[in-house]
Amino acid sequence: EDQVTQSPEALRLQEGESSSLNCSYTVSGLRGLFWYRQDPGKGPEFLFTLYSAGEEKEKERLKATLTKKESFLHITAPKPEDSATYLCAVHTGTASKLTFGTGTRLQVTL
Amino acid sequence: GAVVSQHPSWVICKSGTSVKIECRSLDFQATTMFWYRQFPKQSLMLMATSNEGSKATYEQGVEKDKFLINHASLTLSTLTVTSAHPEDSSFYICSETSGNYGADTQYFGPGTRLTVL
């Protein structure tokens, strides 16, 4: 059974304090790993898709990386508006189903 | 990315009534849509996969007679919660993808908050 584990569960940063979120996975045949951002009471917002180990993608203050066992979401010099829950999901098999981790709740304070 | 809308954004109903939630793809034809539910401070749990023109595929443990899914067109899927009870209160979110295979990105709707009294 595919498993996705995210850590830490919650993270509190000061504005400008860079850090990384972790997503470790145990799957058979990874076809893609996704990062989403979810604000309270809203649906997840797509951030990145990573397909193979060694791949990296960046968007503003966020950078996602992928190895054979885990993915990291690096946040550089975060701002309060980066506060949200960050979700990691994996796509395996032939169907387009996603298996989600439980998320990391990020709070960035002034 | 793709734009997905849901209606209503929130609904309150009495126990025993049925509630229909609509999920619309606004900018492309979605061959596959997914329905998720999310309890407070928990992650998304896939309920079913909805394919246009065919029966939905339900995940283990999800009652197909209670959660009726219809995907009548490439832009609309509906989820009907029949005979709702308080334990059905949750945040329901749909998503769409343009393909059936491969690591296609899923784009999510804004969600529908269902409260059953």
Side-chain angles (χ1 to χ4, degrees):
Chain A
E1 186 179 323
D2 298 340
Q3 288 194 332
V4 181
T5 304
Q6 290 188 245
S7 62
E9 210 172 287
L11 180 62
R12 186 183 174 105
L13 300 173
Q14 286 195 323
E15 184 175 15
E17 181 185 1
S18 302
S19 188
S20 296
L21 313 183
N22 177 264
C23 170
S24 62
Y25 59 91
T26 305
V27 301
S28 53
L30 180 71
R31 297 174 66 87
L33 185 141
F34 301 80
W35 282 99
Y36 289 88
R37 168 195 170 126
Q38 186 176 26
D39 292 300
K42 297 188 177 180
E45 175 190 342
F46 171 70
L47 294 174
F48 304 109
T49 306
L50 301 167
Y51 292 102
S52 57
E55 190 174 0
E56 298 183 352
K57 289 193 176 173
E58 285 187 72
K59 179 182 177 181
E60 297 179 352
R61 295 179 292 282
L62 301 177
K63 179 180 176 180
T65 61
L66 180 66
T67 72
K68 288 185 178 179
K69 294 183 179 180
E70 58 191 349
S71 176
F72 290 94
L73 184 64
H74 307 278
I75 303 177
T76 302
K79 298 182 178 182
E81 52 262 42
D82 294 322
S83 298
T85 295
Y86 290 85
L87 298 168
C88 168
V90 296
H91 173 208
T92 63
T94 54
S96 297
K97 300 196 303 183
L98 293 181
T99 301
F100 279 86
T102 51
T104 294
R105 291 191 306 279
L106 173 66
Q107 183 179 12
V108 182
T109 58
L110 292 171
Chain B
V3 181
V4 181
S5 71
Q6 282 185 241
H7 178 80
S9 55
W10 59 269
V11 56
I12 300 173
C13 69
K14 292 183 179 180
S15 186
T17 60
S18 294
V19 174
K20 179 184 283 189
I21 302 170
E22 293 185 346
C23 176
R24 291 185 183 273
S25 171
L26 299 183
D27 58 349
F28 75 82
Q29 296 178 329
T31 55
T32 304
M33 289 184 172
F34 302 87
W35 286 95
Y36 294 82
R37 64 189 297 181
Q38 186 177 34
F39 292 106
K41 296 190 177 181
Q42 293 188 25
S43 194
L44 282 74
M45 294 298 294
L46 179 65
M47 298 175 66
T49 302
S50 169
N51 294 296
E52 186 266 337
S54 63
K55 290 184 178 180
T57 303
Y58 291 81
E59 294 301 298
Q60 193 172 9
V62 177
E63 299 175 59
K64 61 179 67 176
D65 294 331
K66 181 168 187 62
F67 299 99
L68 301 178
I69 292 172
N70 184 282
H71 193 159
S73 75
L74 287 171
T75 59
L76 175 65
S77 177
T78 60
L79 168 68
T80 301
V81 183
T82 62
S83 186
H85 288 95
E87 57 265 30
D88 298 322
S89 298
S90 187
F91 192 51
Y92 292 87
I93 315 173
C94 70
S95 70
E96 65 175 13
T97 182
S98 59
N100 292 320
Y101 301 104
D104 295 301
T105 298
Q106 287 186 27
Y107 296 94
F108 288 83
T112 297
R113 172 75 58 195
L114 170 63
T115 301
V116 184
L117 302 177

